[in-house]
Amino acid sequence: MPTETFEFRVEARQLLQLMIHSIYSNKDVFLRELVSNASDALDKLRLAALRDDTLDADVSDLHIDIEADGEARTLTVRDNGIGMSYDEVAELIGTIANSGTAKFLEQLRQADEAADAEGLIGQFGVGFYSSFMVADEVTLVTRRAGETQGTRWSSRGEGTYTLETAEEAPQGTTITLHLKPADPENQLHDYTSPWKLREIVKRYSDFITWPIRMVPQAPAGDDEGDAATAREPETLNSMKALWARSRDEVKDEEYHELYKHISHDWQDPLETIRLQAEGTFEYQSLLFIPSHAPHDLFTQGYKRGVQLYVKRVFIMDDCEALLPPYLRFVKGVVDAQDLSLNVSREILQQDRHIQMMHRRLAKKVLSSLKQMMTASPDRYDTFWREFGPVLKEGLVTDSENREALLAVSSFATTHDAAEPTTLKQYVERMKDGQDAVYYLTGESREGIENSPHMEAFRDRGIEVLLLTDPVDEVWTDAVAEFDGKPLRSVAKGEIALDGDGEDKPAEDREKRNEEYAELLTWMKEQLGEDIKEVRLSSRLTVSPACLVSDTNDLTPALENLYRAMGQDVPRAQRILELNPDHTLVKGLNRALRDRADRTALAEDAELLHGLAVLAEGGRPKEPARFTQLLAERLERALQG
């Protein structure tokens, strides 16, 4: 058959500009595309040979060859796979050329939305045309397995391409690129350079099933005769897709080596998690939990996500769509058999497969942590020390997995100064009659333990969770209960510690409320808008006063946190609680009844409020005035 010349049905320049500037952001990926197509061709030949015993095809050494010629400025990618017939070349490589610009652009737009966009990826022409990013001319020679006649296709991408038969074509496909001059400023590298080719293959195609071989270039001054034939080809890819091999075939050292390669960490991972999903949608994953938190884990620019592969072809480094933000410390690989990518294989579409993997991977990590908690407490303690604060973010953002997150969380507690506790253990230790899980947030354990809010709980031996991470202020506001027991802050609302037999009879409480009624009303008038209410306290045993938030109000720390995030929240009024058994409160109540001039007492009320603010780590409204009043009172006492 004579050589035939065809015109593109699209304007080639417009098409190639689209391919070069709009679809691919990195010119190196042309080689990924060609190797991926070659790998698919080898897969198809292996499958065809299994189905058809009569197929006349050599499957003894399936592989991919890369050959670079620095003098001729050519790069050849060759496979001995299924190959293509004359009609298939015209159809497959003409997919873009014959589609028309308008139709092709419409396909791209639909690919951004439709779940079947992977159909564009499967068409040979799309990845093949990325070659024109780096080549002035591309020649393809191919012969379909089982046929005797081959086909040659050639184009300079300038409006036409040629098709002809090729009598001596080997089985498979050979693509030769006549490379453009290197232009580092435009990221157009020298693609005849062996080290550059090795780098690209290692990055994108290291785990391809088939060997990718390249004959090393001869040293300068060597003869090209016998020396060239004597040089053995080297295999550029490892072909070690550890996630595709059974657990008993892989040593821990191999897993650790892969983790260090992915994460750039010098320590071994704390845990290795394998997941293989089969059925209508197949994927494999190999995830790692590091043994220590990176220094930038909580910074805005922290790169999270795992490496994404499709059929062992590397797609992206930090795929955020596969794991929730609170698992951003997890490293690893996810390899899917099929995904809805866009034409460049660079951007994921938000389809049900992505969402399915997202949910499944999160559940798998949490179940592994729960198993670690039971089977290896020491390793779990290391994990929680390093990543507990970030994992607790999920209690706010992931309601679907909230119960699982609570099950793998542990907290400091008054029960033990050294050992943290789980909520399940806390509930098992609850006193008879105790109806809530009590907690208190603060900046440090010491500060919380010395808080006035803790006095009654400490005296009665009631366990309190001591929460010191900033995120604790947020998740405790979002999580209402655990195992049917409400979570209650000891610094919010009214506390009624019933059930231990030490509460005063109801008539005594009523009598005391009557005794202090005038003081409570008067102090509310004196303090005005600074407080919402003044009442007697059931949580104080040593301190004269404390400030508490109403049950549904934000705590001051949470208010400050929201403001730091740029949210404008109104400042909630606090409640001042007085200890009726404290000498200072008793004396103030007596003085209020006995003195006609209450000017000095107003300053005492202001001081008492300031002491309550300081006791919880706050700052008086007017620090200078507070210190002046306090100095005057100390001076009078010394003169006394």
Side-chain angles (χ1 to χ4, degrees):
M1 185 179 295
T3 300
E4 295 185 86
T5 301
F6 299 87
E7 288 189 4
F8 289 113
R9 294 186 186 178
V10 300
E11 187 177 349
R13 297 183 193 281
Q14 180 180 354
L15 175 60
L16 294 177
Q17 287 296 312
L18 179 66
M19 293 295 296
I20 295 170
H21 298 295
S22 300
I23 297 180
Y24 292 97
S25 59
N26 180 0
K27 293 181 175 63
D28 290 355
V29 298
F30 85 91
L31 186 56
R32 176 189 72 182
E33 295 298 312
L34 296 183
V35 169
S36 179
N37 287 336
S39 177
D40 289 343
L42 295 171
D43 287 336
K44 290 175 182 177
L45 177 60
R46 180 176 60 176
L47 184 60
L50 290 173
R51 290 176 173 175
D52 184 1
D53 293 338
T54 63
L55 182 66
D56 182 17
D58 181 9
V59 294
S60 60
D61 182 25
L62 299 180
H63 64 279
I64 301 167
D65 281 324
I66 296 177
E67 183 179 320
D69 187 332
E71 292 185 7
R73 297 288 302 159
T74 60
L75 177 67
T76 301
V77 179
R78 182 184 301 109
D79 69 75
N80 56 348
I82 192 69
M84 290 178 284
S85 65
Y86 184 96
D87 291 338
E88 286 173 329
V89 172
E91 178 184 353
L92 294 176
I93 298 188
T95 298
I96 294 177
N98 296 330
S99 64
T101 303
K103 183 178 179 182
F104 180 62
L105 292 174
E106 180 62 24
Q107 285 181 317
L108 289 180
R109 282 193 290 270
Q110 292 175 355
D112 286 338
E113 302 171 359
D116 60 354
E118 65 269 19
L120 287 177
I121 287 297
Q123 295 171 356
F124 185 87
V126 175
F128 170 76
Y129 265 76
S130 66
S131 302
F132 284 98
M133 291 190 299
V134 300
D136 290 321
E137 182 179 356
V138 178
T139 301
L140 175 146
V141 177
T142 183
R143 177 171 66 84
R144 185 169 181 82
E147 296 185 358
T148 58
Q149 182 174 275
T151 304
R152 181 189 304 274
W153 179 100
S154 181
S155 176
R156 296 184 62 85
E158 295 177 347
T160 63
Y161 60 92
T162 62
L163 272 177
E164 61 180 315
T165 58
E167 298 298 335
E168 300 298 326
Q171 171 190 302
T173 300
T174 301
I175 300 173
T176 301
L177 279 60
H178 299 267
L179 297 169
K180 297 177 181 180
D183 185 2
E185 290 186 2
N186 292 319
Q187 295 186 337
L188 185 60
H189 303 288
D190 180 5
Y191 294 109
T192 65
S193 169
W195 73 265
K196 185 60 181 177
L197 296 174
R198 289 189 187 96
E199 177 192 62
I200 297 174
V201 170
K202 190 69 176 178
R203 175 168 176 77
Y204 292 108
S205 308
D206 191 46
F207 303 118
I208 290 287
T209 308
W210 310 104
I212 304 170
R213 299 170 182 166
M214 182 174 69
V215 175
Q217 291 185 359
D222 255 15
D223 277 344
E224 287 298 323
D226 296 337
T229 58
R231 291 195 301 275
E232 291 293 327
E234 60 175 308
T235 300
L236 304 183
N237 59 324
S238 70
M239 297 178 286
K240 290 184 177 180
L242 301 183
W243 55 87
R245 296 159 60 185
S246 63
R247 179 65 182 89
D248 55 4
E249 293 179 4
V250 185
K251 297 179 180 179
D252 288 340
E253 291 76 12
E254 292 180 280
Y255 284 136
H256 296 171
E257 182 181 352
L258 177 62
Y259 164 74
K260 292 173 182 177
H261 171 71
I262 293 171
S263 66
H264 308 292
D265 189 4
W266 57 276
Q267 294 186 21
D268 291 339
L270 191 66
E271 182 77 1
T272 301
I273 302 171
R274 291 173 51 91
L275 175 62
Q276 183 162 339
E278 299 178 344
T280 56
F281 178 62
E282 297 183 2
Y283 62 93
Q284 298 161 319
S285 69
L286 186 59
L287 305 179
F288 302 97
I289 297 177
S291 57
H292 63 98
H295 65 88
D296 56 346
L297 182 61
F298 290 96
T299 61
Q300 189 172 4
Y302 180 74
K303 289 186 177 181
R304 65 181 181 89
V306 296
Q307 290 188 348
L308 175 65
Y309 286 73
V310 175
K311 296 180 180 178
R312 300 195 186 183
V313 176
F314 176 74
I315 302 300
M316 65 174 64
D317 224 344
D318 303 297
C319 183
E320 297 183 358
L322 293 176
L323 284 173
Y326 65 86
L327 293 178
R328 59 183 176 270
F329 53 85
V330 175
K331 302 297 181 183
V333 171
V334 175
D335 187 2
Q337 287 302 302
D338 219 347
L339 271 185
S340 295
L341 310 178
N342 72 358
V343 177
S344 68
R345 307 193 188 199
E346 291 180 344
I347 304 173
L348 285 168
Q349 308 304 319
Q350 294 302 315
D351 67 1
R352 61 187 183 87
H353 289 154
I354 300 298
Q355 297 166 7
M356 182 193 312
M357 286 195 293
H358 179 101
R359 288 195 297 270
R360 183 81 183 273
L361 292 172
K363 290 182 182 299
K364 180 64 176 179
V365 172
L366 294 179
S367 66
S368 298
L369 291 176
K370 188 173 182 179
Q371 185 178 2
M372 183 197 297
M373 176 186 279
T374 304
S376 183
D378 290 342
R379 286 194 299 129
Y380 168 79
D381 289 345
T382 299
F383 162 78
W384 189 254
R385 182 175 63 252
E386 297 291 328
F387 301 107
V390 66
L391 192 76
K392 285 188 286 187
E393 293 175 11
L395 295 172
V396 183
T397 59
D398 190 356
S399 56
E400 180 181 350
N401 288 312
R402 185 168 288 163
E403 291 300 319
L405 283 162
L406 286 173
V408 298
S409 298
S410 58
F411 312 94
T413 172
T414 55
H415 176 74
D416 193 308
E419 293 295 327
T421 190
T422 64
L423 291 179
K424 181 181 179 181
Q425 292 169 331
Y426 180 103
V427 170
E428 291 172 350
R429 291 194 296 263
M430 284 173 56
K431 287 180 170 291
D432 292 339
Q434 182 180 339
D435 61 355
V437 176
Y438 292 108
Y439 69 88
L440 185 57
T441 59
E443 294 184 357
S444 67
R445 180 185 182 112
E446 183 180 7
I448 297 176
E449 288 180 325
N450 292 327
S451 169
H453 303 102
M454 294 286 294
E455 292 173 1
F457 293 87
R458 184 167 53 245
D459 289 351
R460 302 186 186 197
I462 298 176
E463 185 176 357
V464 178
L465 302 179
L466 311 176
L467 309 179
T468 58
D469 293 322
V471 70
D472 293 329
E473 294 283 354
V474 185
W475 77 260
T476 50
D477 198 57
V479 178
E481 64 175 35
F482 174 79
D483 195 22
K485 306 291 183 182
L487 269 67
R488 293 197 58 188
S489 169
V490 303
K492 295 181 71 172
E494 293 195 64
I495 298 294
L497 300 179
D498 299 325
D500 57 9
E502 294 183 15
D503 287 343
K504 291 180 170 55
E507 56 270 19
D508 289 351
R509 293 198 298 272
E510 292 178 8
K511 182 178 179 181
R512 175 162 285 185
N513 285 334
E514 292 176 5
E515 180 183 354
Y516 284 90
E518 183 181 4
L519 174 65
L520 300 180
T521 302
W522 174 79
M523 286 196 68
K524 175 63 179 81
E525 293 173 354
Q526 296 302 311
L527 298 173
E529 296 300 318
D530 289 341
I531 58 170
K532 178 187 290 189
E533 179 188 352
V534 182
R535 67 189 182 203
L536 297 181
S537 179
S538 61
R539 72 188 90 211
L540 295 175
T541 60
V542 177
S543 301
C546 70
L547 287 169
V548 300
S549 299
D550 217 345
T551 304
N552 297 317
D553 285 347
L554 299 178
T555 63
L558 190 53
E559 286 181 17
N560 293 335
L561 186 60
Y562 282 135
R563 290 192 185 95
M565 295 165 59
Q567 299 186 33
D568 186 19
V569 294
R571 192 171 294 280
Q573 287 182 306
R574 309 293 301 288
I575 298 169
L576 179 65
E577 288 193 351
L578 304 179
N579 179 2
D581 295 322
H582 196 280
T583 305
L584 181 57
V585 177
K586 288 179 178 179
L588 186 58
N589 191 38
R590 268 194 316 272
L592 187 67
R593 291 196 306 263
D594 297 343
R595 296 183 191 177
D597 182 7
R598 296 178 173 178
T599 304
L601 293 181
E603 294 178 350
D604 291 335
E606 191 175 344
L607 280 171
L608 193 59
H609 176 257
L611 290 173
V613 172
L614 289 172
E616 67 172 6
R619 179 180 178 182
K621 184 178 180 180
E622 299 181 44
R625 174 173 170 77
F626 177 80
T627 55
Q628 181 183 357
L629 291 176
L630 185 59
E632 291 174 357
R633 290 297 183 277
L634 290 173
E635 184 179 359
R636 292 177 196 171
L638 291 173
Q639 290 175 352

